[in-house]
Amino acid sequence: MSMAEAPIAIPPDVDAELAGSEAGLGPRTWLDRIASVAIGIAGVALVGMVAVQALQVFARYVLNDSPGWTEPVALLLLNTAMSFGAAAGVHRGSHFGFFILVHSAPPALRKVLLSATNLVIAGIGFVLAMWGGELLLDGIDIPMAGAPLPQSAVFAPMSVAGALMVPFALQRLVAVITAPVASARSE
């Protein structure tokens, strides 16, 4: 089998359980719908960031009068796109990971590794939600330089997306725990 014909490696066990709702084979859960909304928010934020940056470049180099609000708004939109994209990545299992170890591990150890991974992701999401919320509330009364927003507005998407990562990771954890231990290794 050539490299072009080799199967694409995906995180084992979990994606088989979750693929039904994503592939249209089963009913979409409320978490699937929330993940779709998160992807939509990330996409709109990304397009908005491109538009704001284009306006900034045009105003600076053509009009020689760059508005002061474009940079903080672009940073807010960037944070929104990254945060909600990361949350959706947790839901789909397409987040960053070291999957070579998982794929080469025996099935029982693979289950343990995937469980630990999802617990760590849920913990990170919880920390992002809590600390992001604390930072948001801490600077809510300080105005942002150049934009009519609170200075801490950039922490809102991080906090919300961190909160979304928790149920997404826990859903994947439940899928790992309830999946039978396969005797063959995933390819």
Side-chain angles (χ1 to χ4, degrees), residues 39-67:
I39 291 171
I41 290 170
V44 168
L46 194 58
V47 169
M49 185 185 67
V50 168
V52 168
Q53 288 297 97
L55 174 66
Q56 183 179 21
V57 168
F58 178 78
R60 180 177 179 136
Y61 293 108
V62 176
L63 303 176
N64 200 25
D65 185 26
S66 183

Side-chain angles (χ1 to χ4, degrees), residues 7-8 11 23 27-28 30 32 46 57 59 62 67 70 90 106 112 128 135 141 147 150 153 161 165 180 182:
I8 297 173
R28 287 175 46 102
W30 61 277
D32 295 330
L46 194 58
V57 168
V62 176
T70 55
V90 169
V112 170
L128 286 172
L135 289 168
D141 56 347
M165 287 179 193

Side-chain angles (χ1 to χ4, degrees), residues 107-122:
L109 179 58
R110 183 179 317 128
K111 196 169 192 170
V112 170
L113 291 172
L114 288 171
S115 296
T117 299
N118 287 303
L119 283 172
V120 167
I121 293 170

Side-chain angles (χ1 to χ4, degrees), residues 82-157:
M82 289 188 316
S83 297
F84 282 93
V90 169
H91 180 262
R92 292 187 53 119
S94 59
H95 54 82
F96 176 77
F98 298 102
F99 298 113
I100 293 174
L101 176 63
V102 173
H103 286 295
S104 63
L109 179 58
R110 183 179 317 128
K111 196 169 192 170
V112 170
L113 291 172
L114 288 171
S115 296
T117 299
N118 287 303
L119 283 172
V120 167
I121 293 170
I124 290 170
F126 180 77
V127 168
L128 286 172
M130 295 306 295
W131 285 352
E134 186 177 326
L135 289 168
L136 173 67
L137 294 176
D138 192 39
I140 201 85
D141 56 347
I142 303 168
M144 184 182 289
L149 296 169
Q151 181 180 1
S152 61
V154 295
F155 297 110

Side-chain angles (χ1 to χ4, degrees), residues 12-23 26-36 87-95 111 114-115 117-123 163-179:
D13 301 326
V14 179
D15 287 320
E17 290 289 318
L18 297 176
S21 61
E22 293 175 3
R28 287 175 46 102
T29 66
W30 61 277
L31 286 175
D32 295 330
R33 290 183 188 99
I34 291 172
S36 294
V90 169
H91 180 262
R92 292 187 53 119
S94 59
H95 54 82
K111 196 169 192 170
L114 288 171
S115 296
T117 299
N118 287 303
L119 283 172
V120 167
I121 293 170
L164 288 176
M165 287 179 193
V166 175
F168 292 162
L170 292 178
Q171 176 192 30
R172 295 186 71 78
L173 176 64
V174 168
V176 167
I177 292 171
T178 59

